[in-house]
């Protein structure tokens, strides 16, 4: 889960990394009251590319700051409603780039640095990028980073090295999956200031991260999905508020695959979900919440249930699903259920005996095609 820039900068500041002076505002009046400019007005939404999308504006003084913020509040940027803005003082210097990313497949940390950062970082030539990777070990990553940036020109080299230890410490102390600073402003004297920051949290690490839990809890409206996971023990993310397919799925990778394939068929998945069906243990509470959120979505026409069972027993899951449906009377959507694995035949018998119009498919392609067709017919 991606932190808003304001909170990402707060995290970096806590580790001694310089950030521009700034404040979070929730309305135009608060923006105008911050004092004389100049200010940079930055929409706080969890996506990159805000500048090119019109989410970052300059204001010479208080009146312009209020106008700029007022024009952003309540609008949507890349699918996200703007509920807050960060106003900060402009920073200057050479625009550099620095990132650390956990590669989940290998368990190693990928490092990337450049003396050319900013909004056009994607177009920077490969030979201008310093790359390295290292084992998931703080000392090893710091050593690799220092070595990788050694060939960069000054003052980029000195600037990045001046914050290398702090950046690596933050990455490991908070168990992050991504820490990206772009631009990292570097002055001719080698002083570094984080002009923007993208931080992605590992929600599975939150039980060990009391400070992050406190932040997410205090800002529940901005971090709804994270707080849902903290409260209910599974992942639920709204992908498209106007989506037409609700998903009851388990397994993060498989759930993303299902969402991608439905999109390719012309359907619009409403949500991502990793139900963690093995944790249900016969208790329908998670499913009741999930079905309720899907039922409340304005445009969902059909729900796809996709459970690939290993530890989970499909007979037990089917019983729990039927109990949850009885407890959510507002749920009247057709259901396509793709069930594969342990206890399949028992699941078929339980569903058949229930009398519900709920056909079980074992072929994922068939289930996806049927779901997409029902979404089109319901439009």
């Amino acid at each position: 889960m991606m932190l808003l820039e304001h909170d990402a900068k707060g995290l970096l500041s806590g580790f001694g990394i310089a950030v521009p002076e700034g404040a979070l505002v929730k309305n135009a009046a608060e923006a105008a009251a911050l004092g004389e400019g100049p200010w940079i007005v930055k929409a706080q939404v969890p996506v990159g590319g805000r500048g090119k999308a019109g989410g970052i504006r300059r204001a010479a003084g208080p009146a312009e700051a209020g106008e700029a913020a007022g024009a952003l509040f309540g609008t949507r940027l890349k699918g996200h409603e703007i509920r807050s803005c960060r106003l900060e003082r402009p920073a200057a210097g050479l625009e550099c780039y620095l990132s650390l990313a956990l590669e989940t497949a290998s368990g190693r940390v990928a490092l990337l640095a450049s003396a050319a950062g900013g909004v056009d970082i994607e177009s920077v030539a490969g030979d201008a990028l310093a790359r390295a990777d290292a084992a998931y070990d703080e000392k090893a990553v710091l050593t690799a980073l220092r070595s990788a940036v050694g060939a960069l020109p000054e003052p980029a080299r000195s600037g990045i090295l001046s914050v290398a230890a702090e950046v690596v410490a933050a990455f490991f102390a908070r168990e992050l999956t991504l820490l990206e600073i772009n631009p990292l402003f570097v002055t001719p004297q080698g002083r570094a200031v984080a002009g923007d920051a993208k931080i992605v949290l590992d929600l599975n690490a939150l039980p060990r991260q009391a400070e992050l839990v406190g932040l997410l809890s205090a800002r529940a409206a901005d971090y709804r999905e994270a707080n849902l996971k903290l409260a209910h023990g599974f992942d639920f993310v709204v992908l498209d508020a106007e989506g037409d397919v609700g998903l009851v799925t388990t397994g993060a990778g498989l759930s993303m695959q299902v969402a991608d394939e439905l999109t390719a068929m012309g359907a619009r998945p409403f949500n991502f979900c990793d139900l963690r069906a093995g944790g249900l243990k016969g208790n329908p509470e998670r499913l009741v919440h999930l079905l309720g959120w899907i039922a409340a979505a304005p445009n969902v026409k059909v729900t796809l249930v996709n459970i690939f069972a290993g530890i989970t027993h499909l007979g037990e899951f089917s019983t729990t699903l039927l109990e949850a449906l009885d407890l959510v009377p507002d749920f009247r959507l057709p259901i396509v259920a793709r069930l594969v694995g342990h206890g399949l035949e028992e699941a078929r018998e339980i569903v058949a005996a229930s009398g519900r119009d709920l056909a079980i498919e074992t072929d994922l392609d068939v289930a996806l095609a049927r779901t997409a067709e029902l979404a089109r017919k319901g439009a």
Side-chain angles (χ1 to χ4, degrees), residues 16-372:
I17 299 165
V19 302
E21 174 192 350
L24 188 72
V25 300
K26 298 295 183 70
N27 55 59
E30 289 180 357
L34 284 182
E36 294 302 318
W39 294 103
I40 308 295
V41 182
K42 311 175 84 171
Q44 295 300 286
V45 290
V47 292
R50 291 171 298 157
K52 291 182 177 180
I56 298 178
R57 306 182 181 190
R58 292 183 175 270
E64 285 188 19
E67 291 173 5
L72 291 171
F73 285 122
T75 63
R76 302 187 75 84
L77 187 71
K78 295 190 171 184
H80 296 272
E81 182 182 357
I82 299 172
R83 293 190 292 263
S84 62
C85 289
R86 175 178 168 86
L87 269 67
E88 66 180 27
R89 300 297 186 184
L94 177 67
E95 295 189 2
C96 300
Y97 176 91
L98 175 62
S99 73
L100 283 68
L102 175 63
E103 296 182 324
T104 54
S106 65
R108 295 175 69 82
V109 178
L111 313 170
L112 191 60
S114 174
V119 295
D120 295 319
I121 183 62
E122 292 86 356
S123 63
V124 172
D127 56 5
L129 298 171
R131 302 174 185 269
D133 75 316
Y136 190 81
D137 173 84
E138 186 170 347
K139 290 182 179 179
V141 169
L142 181 56
T143 298
L145 177 57
R146 286 171 171 165
S147 176
V149 303
L152 293 180
E154 293 291 0
R157 175 181 174 276
S158 295
I160 294 174
L161 287 176
S162 73
V163 294
E166 291 80 4
V167 168
V168 173
F171 184 82
F172 279 91
R174 295 293 173 259
E175 300 179 83
L176 307 178
T177 61
L178 174 69
L179 195 168
E180 177 186 84
I181 304 176
N182 180 41
L184 177 68
F185 289 109
V186 177
T187 68
Q189 297 75 33
R191 180 175 181 268
V193 177
D196 198 354
K198 180 188 295 184
I199 286 178
V200 177
L201 306 180
D202 178 359
L203 294 183
N204 294 320
L206 288 181
R208 300 183 295 273
Q209 298 290 339
E211 183 176 328
L212 292 177
V213 170
L215 167 65
L216 299 177
S217 299
R219 303 273 300 285
D222 290 321
Y223 297 111
R224 180 174 180 267
E225 288 86 3
N227 280 284
L228 288 176
K229 178 167 183 175
L230 288 170
H232 302 295
F234 69 96
D235 297 280
F236 175 88
V237 178
V238 174
L239 299 176
D240 181 351
E242 304 300 319
D244 51 23
V245 177
L247 296 179
V248 178
T249 54
T250 192
L254 183 56
S255 298
M256 288 187 286
Q257 176 191 339
V258 165
D260 288 344
E261 293 194 19
L262 284 170
T263 301
M265 293 178 176
R268 296 172 62 183
F270 165 68
N271 65 290
F272 164 87
C273 170
D274 182 2
L275 183 62
R276 305 188 180 203
L280 294 175
K281 301 186 184 305
N283 185 340
E285 182 178 357
R286 286 188 190 178
L287 283 166
V288 168
H289 287 296
L290 177 54
L291 294 173
W293 299 332
I294 292 173
N299 294 319
V300 171
K301 306 298 189 300
V302 58
T303 294
L304 172 64
V305 176
N306 183 52
I307 306 295
F308 192 97
I311 297 174
T312 303
H313 190 282
L314 291 176
E316 180 181 290
F317 172 79
S318 298
T319 298
T320 308
L321 175 62
L322 292 170
E323 290 176 1
L325 288 168
D326 288 338
L327 293 170
V328 187
D330 292 338
F331 191 92
R332 301 184 180 91
L333 300 168
I335 296 175
V336 177
R338 187 257 182 164
L339 305 181
V340 176
H342 184 47
L344 175 61
E345 292 309 314
E346 184 175 330
R348 290 185 188 277
E349 293 171 4
I350 291 169
V351 169
S354 73
R356 283 190 175 270
D357 183 16
L358 198 164
I360 294 177
E361 299 285 354
T362 57
D363 188 295
L364 179 58
D365 291 336
V366 172
L368 291 170
R370 185 173 179 185
T371 300

Side-chain angles (χ1 to χ4, degrees), residues 3-12 24 44 215 219 223:
L3 285 180
L4 298 178
E5 177 201 1
H6 179 79
D7 298 321
K9 284 181 171 174
L11 188 156
L12 294 181
L24 188 72
Q44 295 300 286
L215 167 65
R219 303 273 300 285
Y223 297 111

